[in-house]
Amino acid sequence: MSPLTIYTAASVRHIHSVRLFHDALRARIPGIRILDWTCKATPPPDLTPAQRRQWFDTEQQGGQVYAFCRDACASADVVVYLGQSGQDAGVEVGLAAGAGVPVIGVRGFLEAPGLMLHGAVNVWCQDYDSVN
């Protein structure tokens, strides 16, 4: 049996939470395969916020990150949406749903997902502990 493969759709603002979530998954699910965008979407540490935005917006860097995330959303066994995240994570959820990949949504503290995001997620949870 092949290992469970997951992808986490989340805002880059949540990069630390995504990494902690991945660590928790690795500790609980032996052999899990995580399609991890966090190392690909991490700009050099010495950039200002404006330079980081520019780094993300370059075709070279942004195109590589987009291609990885697009392919990961369509090939994972499950996608986890970590809210409250923005447009990019919503697009990732849509890519996964369109590919028939189940999506678990962890609702942000004050998040009220819109019609499309709400409908594209198979199961909504209030926090990680409520994911069975």
Side-chain angles (χ1 to χ4, degrees), residues 9-15 17-18 81-90 105-114 117 124-126 128:
S11 169
V12 72
R13 294 182 317 258
H14 300 315
I15 197 165
S17 296
V18 171
Y81 166 80
L82 175 61
Q84 178 166 358
S85 292
Q87 294 176 0
D88 290 342
V106 181
R107 191 175 280 120
F109 182 66
L110 298 174
E111 186 172 21
L117 180 59
W124 279 101
C125 306
Q126 290 299 118
Y128 297 125

Side-chain angles (χ1 to χ4, degrees), residues 6-10 15-29 32-39 80 82 128:
I6 71 122
Y7 177 81
T8 305
I15 197 165
H16 299 298
S17 296
V18 171
R19 288 177 174 159
L20 289 171
F21 178 59
H22 291 171
D23 289 347
L25 288 174
R26 286 184 188 100
R28 289 176 176 82
I29 305 172
I32 190 167
R33 182 172 170 241
I34 297 173
L35 302 173
D36 189 358
W37 56 266
T38 65
C39 58
V80 177
L82 175 61
Y128 297 125

